[in-house]
Amino acid sequence: MNDLPKQPAVPDPANEFASDSSSIDPRDFRNALGTYATGVTIITAAAADGKPYGLTCNSFASVSLNPPLVLWSLVVYSSSLTVFQNASHFTVNVLGASQQALANKFAKSSDDKFTGVDWTPGLGGAPVLAESVANFQCRSVNRYYGGDHVIFLGAVEAYTYSAKEPLLFARGTFGCFLADDERKKAP
């Protein structure tokens, strides 16, 4: 005899949300997720031929301090998915409050995203963008598939950061951080 409570069968998450059987409305779910403010990054990598690639991303997160690991995710139908899957390294460039135009530029499909952008090649050729608040140069460690996204895990091999104000994103719009003392001064 087993006195443990019976657990309902756990649905396979890879199939549950990919089917029409989910009771969660995707647009409403996205609106709910949008209440969580995130930083804004541009993830970069170099293709095998050295061509730079990049895209705006707010799914960046730290995973571990020891060893230093980070993650980010990319939708499976992205035109640059193959580049990121094959790259030995990627760079997470954290954008500053003054870089909203750059975030918008890299959010759109284009072959000339790097035209007029100040950058230097980092580890594995992955572009490090000038004037970013921080950058994390990562060796690609692993990939995991989650629903309609690929989750990239990276080992941080180099990083820099500054005291510049970060660019934030919430509820479908850009903003910036106000410390408690700044809010008290605001009209």
Side-chain angles (χ1 to χ4, degrees):
M1 181 165 181
N2 186 346
D3 291 335
L4 295 174
K6 293 185 181 193
Q7 299 292 323
V10 178
D12 177 8
N15 293 324
E16 178 183 18
F17 295 113
S19 70
D20 292 330
S21 65
S22 176
S23 62
I24 293 180
D25 174 81
R27 179 70 246 174
D28 193 55
F29 183 56
R30 184 176 180 142
N31 290 342
L33 291 172
T35 65
Y36 181 69
T38 66
V40 181
T41 68
I42 292 177
I43 310 292
T44 59
D49 64 1
K51 181 180 176 184
Y53 281 80
L55 50 90
T56 301
C57 173
N58 69 341
S59 64
F60 167 67
S62 64
V63 174
S64 170
L65 295 176
N66 188 14
L69 298 172
V70 297
L71 66 77
W72 67 282
S73 64
L74 180 60
V75 68
V76 296
Y77 53 82
S78 170
S79 61
S80 52
L81 179 64
T82 303
V83 172
F84 287 101
Q85 285 181 317
N86 293 328
S88 65
H89 289 77
F90 61 84
T91 298
V92 178
N93 298 277
V94 179
L95 298 186
S98 66
Q99 294 180 302
Q100 182 176 336
L102 191 62
N104 286 327
K105 180 177 186 172
F106 277 80
K108 297 175 183 155
S109 293
S110 171
D111 287 335
D112 65 348
K113 289 183 182 182
F114 286 87
T115 301
V117 176
D118 188 10
W119 65 278
T120 56
L123 298 175
V128 176
L129 304 182
E131 303 301 317
S132 58
V133 171
N135 64 68
F136 301 90
Q137 297 182 61
C138 305
R139 178 177 38 82
S140 294
V141 175
N142 213 333
R143 293 182 303 275
Y144 303 93
Y145 294 86
D148 62 355
H149 279 67
V150 177
I151 302 160
F152 292 87
L153 182 66
V156 178
E157 294 185 335
Y159 67 94
T160 63
Y161 66 100
S162 71
K164 294 176 190 171
E165 192 68 31
L167 180 62
L168 300 180
F169 188 78
R171 292 194 166 114
T173 190
F174 293 104
C176 61
F177 176 74
L178 288 179
D180 282 340
D181 57 338
E182 292 177 71
R183 278 187 292 189
K184 291 174 187 173
K185 294 177 194 174

